[in-house]
Amino acid sequence: QVQVAESGGGLVQAGGSLRLSCAASGRAFNNHNMGWFRQAGGKERIVVAVINWSGRTTYTAGSVEGRFTISRDNAKNTVYLQMDSLTPEDTAVYYCAAARGGWALLASDYDYWGQGTQVTVSS
């Protein structure tokens, strides 16, 4: 079993940057694909970025491609989401999740979730 906890959210002005961290516990972390999702008020939870267990394969949603970068440090059991050139449309609660199975882009395919961290971008 893997437990995950996000940190690094906050309030930032448009054009600014934030780096989210997801600390995971459990020996199996290195075997899990990891994803970042976000959920804005009243909307569904959608994928932002995904990284495979080794870190060699990543996916970034079109809406954030070129601005957000996902990475992981298996030695530290941590996944990161570097967010640059933020816009008010990026405002949401950001969630980190771990998937036991194969490559996954849907929230329903993820098994373990953090509590989320709020990111607010002011104009």
Side-chain angles (χ1 to χ4, degrees), residues 12-16 38 63-64 67-68 83-92 94 119-123:
V12 63
Q13 288 188 332
R38 69 185 183 186
S63 60
V64 302
R67 301 187 297 121
F68 290 14
M83 306 187 295
D84 299 317
S85 301
L86 286 160
T87 73
E89 288 69 37
D90 296 316
T91 295
Y94 283 72
V119 172
T120 302
V121 185
S122 63
S123 58

Side-chain angles (χ1 to χ4, degrees), residues 64-110:
V64 302
E65 193 168 6
R67 301 187 297 121
F68 290 14
T69 305
I70 188 171
S71 61
R72 68 189 293 165
D73 185 339
N74 286 344
K76 296 182 178 180
N77 278 18
T78 304
V79 180
Y80 304 97
L81 184 68
Q82 177 67 41
M83 306 187 295
D84 299 317
S85 301
L86 286 160
T87 73
E89 288 69 37
D90 296 316
T91 295
V93 177
Y94 283 72
Y95 296 90
C96 175
R100 286 198 307 261
W103 186 250
L105 298 181
L106 298 177
S108 58
D109 291 329
Y110 282 75

Side-chain angles (χ1 to χ4, degrees), residues 28-29 31-35 97-104 106 109-112:
F29 170 77
N31 296 331
H32 285 67
N33 295 326
M34 301 295 294
R100 286 198 307 261
W103 186 250
L106 298 177
D109 291 329
Y110 282 75
D111 306 286
Y112 308 109

